[in-house]
Amino acid sequence: MRILKPYLRSTSIQCYLCLLLNSHFLTEAGIHVFILGCISAGLPKTEANWQHVISDLKRIEDLIQSIHMDATLYTESNAHPSCKVTAMKCFLLELHVIMHESRNSDINDTVENLIILANSSLSSTEYKTESGCKECEELEEKSIKEFLKSFVHIVQMFINPS
């Protein structure tokens, strides 16, 4: 079980650094450094978040294999780059099915963390509503293994946009 969630790691470290710096520079400049550091701690780190999403997907895959979960999920396996946000939202909705079907606390914790990370990454950038993309229910239902593989592919589209 994870004690520290990835989306909290950088924030904690930055706050400690700010406090350390502030204790040595109790001047007006030190206060400005402290305030700016605290503000930057709250800013999303989208590149790092997507890497953590991939790590969580791999962890979910390992956990699912250990409990032999067999579910089919709506899966976008061939999303166009102009539909990646729509596809991501569908993947995130289907994660709730995994939580419901598994009833495993490790899987549920990892899925919850993944949803927080992905949503914070989506909201941290200016993604506009996409048109002409398939609705979630229009997607083909595939095995959980294929779902996770396609999910990783969509995340990689966010990491390496082309």
Side-chain angles (χ1 to χ4, degrees):
M1 175 178 262
R2 292 185 202 178
I3 304 288
L4 186 60
K5 305 284 185 183
Y7 61 88
L8 295 178
R9 284 184 194 144
S10 63
T11 304
S12 302
I13 292 168
Q14 286 179 329
C15 285
Y16 289 129
L17 287 173
C18 286
L19 289 172
L20 178 68
L21 282 173
N22 196 35
S23 67
H24 291 294
F25 303 107
L26 290 175
T27 63
E28 187 175 336
I31 293 170
H32 288 261
V33 168
F34 176 74
I35 292 170
L36 290 173
C38 290
I39 291 170
S40 73
L43 294 175
K45 315 292 186 275
T46 58
E47 298 83 13
N49 282 355
W50 289 124
Q51 292 298 333
H52 290 301
V53 167
I54 289 177
S55 297
D56 281 347
L57 286 169
K58 292 181 186 202
R59 178 171 163 73
I60 291 168
E61 184 176 19
D62 293 341
L63 290 168
I64 285 173
Q65 286 178 354
S66 70
I67 65 167
H68 306 293
M69 185 176 155
D70 186 28
T72 57
L73 304 161
Y74 293 120
T75 304
E76 176 61 85
S77 52
N78 201 13
H80 190 274
S82 65
C83 289
K84 67 183 180 182
V85 174
T86 303
M88 178 59 71
K89 289 178 180 177
C90 290
F91 279 111
L92 294 174
L93 285 172
E94 288 298 282
L95 286 176
H96 293 283
V97 175
I98 292 174
M99 285 175 45
H100 178 75
E101 294 283 324
S102 75
R103 293 189 177 97
N104 177 294
S105 62
D106 288 336
I107 291 174
N108 290 351
D109 289 346
T110 307
V111 167
E112 285 176 17
N113 189 57
L114 190 155
I115 290 170
I116 290 168
L117 288 169
N119 279 325
S120 70
S121 295
L122 284 175
S123 66
S124 67
T125 53
E126 301 248 346
Y127 291 116
K128 297 180 180 168
T129 306
E130 301 164 324
S131 60
C133 303
K134 289 183 182 178
E135 297 292 325
C136 299
E137 296 78 19
E138 295 176 310
L139 301 172
E140 186 178 344
E141 287 189 52
K142 295 192 176 184
S143 72
I144 198 159
K145 185 176 181 178
E146 285 296 314
F147 171 84
L148 294 170
K149 181 180 172 186
S150 295
F151 201 152
V152 169
H153 177 72
I154 293 295
V155 172
Q156 289 170 340
M157 291 173 80
F158 283 93
I159 295 172
N160 303 312
S162 47

